[in-house]
Amino acid sequence: MAAAASSSSLASGYDMPWVEKYRPNKVIDIVGNEDAVSRLQVIARDGNMPNLILSGPPGTGKTTSILALAHELLGPNYREGVLELNASDDRGIDVVRNKIKMFAQKKVTLPPGRHKVVILDEADSMTSGAQQALRRTMEIYSNSTRFALACNTSSKIIEPIQSRCALVRFSRLSDQEILSRLMVVVDAEKVPYVPEGLEAIIFTADGDMRQALNNLQATYSGFRFVNQENVFKVCDQPHPLHVKNMVRHVLEGKFDDACSGLKQLYDLGYSPTDIITTFFRIIKNYDMAEYLKLEFMKETGFAHMRICDGVGSYLQLCGLLAKLSLVRETAKAP
């Protein structure tokens, strides 16, 4: 009986993903993007919220910022004063005409100077027709309802809506910002780790806080210890040391060794996109002459473009190594 109770308490500890458990509730607690966050803090303090478009890469805090802002503005009235629609919900032209319009017309008692908030997450995946229907609704009900649209690329929002909104841009988080939040979670959850393990998590996240926290939790759940080897097992990305050796072989003129390293990675089943993305990030931070680094990055960019066009073969990757070797030889020539 005691064993059953302990197992149920253990299970209850994993009910909530850490991404949700440690999601900030106040705008001031949001990590990174100081300029954007400070603008939102002013809105939270003064209360006159304009229509907003928050654009930026995934996992940088757009949705969290809107939710925190809505909580601060509306307080206990949050439940009846906020309508949240995600890309997973039906957001066609009928929903805009009916659901959003009905919400905008609804009478809600709010503190003076506060407005109802419609949150449209992943707004760039809304159809053009739905966006066209939305622009009129935004104008008619502007005295009682404000809209917050989160998207990855603001250019996919039609221009009439862009002109009605204040644009807040989010960028990828720096390694230091991600590390500071990881340390908070690691201390709170008593996660055993080595510094190289957190370094690996930051490398795999590439500026995405959501990815970093998910990778941390997955590694802890699977291995109970966060080190470099365990992180790369869970995240299943090409190991940076392996890729680093390939770059070193190219710089030392050992083309065959670089190719055999590439073959090993390719045979492990990694997609060419994964390999070349890791390759690019290693080159970016590799200690080499600047003119060489620039040429290497240029050639890697061309190869990445070809792979994205669908020519993702082993031949393309070998061709890239050959190109890099040629660049190195040309650079050495007097």
Side-chain angles (χ1 to χ4, degrees), residues 249-322:
H249 289 318
V250 168
L251 287 169
E252 290 172 357
K254 300 175 182 170
F255 178 71
D256 290 343
D257 290 348
C259 273
S260 65
L262 174 63
K263 182 90 171 79
Q264 273 179 306
L265 274 185
Y266 197 81
D267 290 345
L268 284 170
Y270 292 115
S271 77
T273 314
D274 282 347
I275 294 172
I276 203 155
T277 307
T278 309
F279 201 80
F280 179 78
R281 286 164 63 193
I282 291 293
I283 288 173
K284 198 168 68 173
N285 299 316
Y286 201 92
D287 185 20
M288 63 170 102
E290 191 173 351
Y291 64 92
L292 259 184
K293 185 182 283 193
L294 294 173
E295 286 297 319
F296 274 30
M297 286 170 82
K298 184 176 84 173
E299 294 300 340
T300 309
F302 284 137
H304 195 181
M305 187 173 69
R306 287 192 288 271
I307 285 168
C308 289
D309 284 343
V311 197
S313 63
Y314 176 59
L315 181 64
Q316 282 295 335
L317 293 168
C318 282
L320 171 62
L321 292 182

Side-chain angles (χ1 to χ4, degrees), residues 24 28 44 80 144 152 159 179 181 191 215 236 264 285 311 314 318:
I28 198 168
E80 61 264 27
S144 66
N152 295 135
E159 288 193 9
L179 179 62
R181 183 45 61 100
V191 177
N215 290 349
D236 207 26
Q264 273 179 306
N285 299 316
V311 197
Y314 176 59
C318 282

Side-chain angles (χ1 to χ4, degrees), residues 37-173:
V37 171
S38 62
R39 283 174 69 187
L40 295 177
Q41 272 179 266
V42 172
I43 294 169
R45 190 186 66 225
D46 298 346
N48 189 15
M49 173 184 161
N51 293 318
L52 292 172
I53 293 177
L54 289 83
S55 80
T60 50
K62 302 185 297 296
T63 308
T64 300
S65 300
I66 297 180
L67 294 174
L69 180 62
H71 272 292
E72 285 194 51
L73 287 172
L74 302 179
N77 301 311
Y78 176 86
R79 288 184 76 85
E80 61 264 27
V82 173
L83 173 68
E84 187 184 357
L85 294 173
N86 201 296
S88 53
D89 304 315
D90 178 22
R91 292 187 313 190
I93 196 162
D94 295 336
V95 171
V96 174
R97 282 181 179 152
N98 303 325
K99 199 170 183 179
I100 294 179
K101 217 168 189 178
M102 291 282 286
F103 176 78
Q105 289 168 347
K106 191 172 78 169
K107 291 276 188 288
V108 178
T109 309
L110 297 174
R114 301 291 192 256
H115 303 85
K116 287 177 291 181
V117 180
V118 177
I119 299 172
L120 296 168
D121 213 345
E122 311 293 343
D124 45 2
S125 62
M126 285 178 79
T127 61
S128 177
Q131 290 188 40
Q132 295 286 1
L134 186 65
R135 72 191 216 181
R136 190 74 186 117
T137 311
M138 288 171 84
E139 271 185 356
I140 296 170
Y141 301 104
S142 60
N143 59 345
S144 66
T145 308
R146 297 294 156 89
F147 289 76
L149 289 74
C151 58
N152 295 135
T153 45
S154 59
S155 56
K156 288 185 182 173
I157 307 286
I158 60 170
E159 288 193 9
I161 288 184
Q162 286 189 48
S163 74
R164 288 169 171 81
C165 298
L167 185 61
V168 182
R169 290 200 189 279
F170 284 71
S171 56
R172 291 190 180 281
L173 303 180

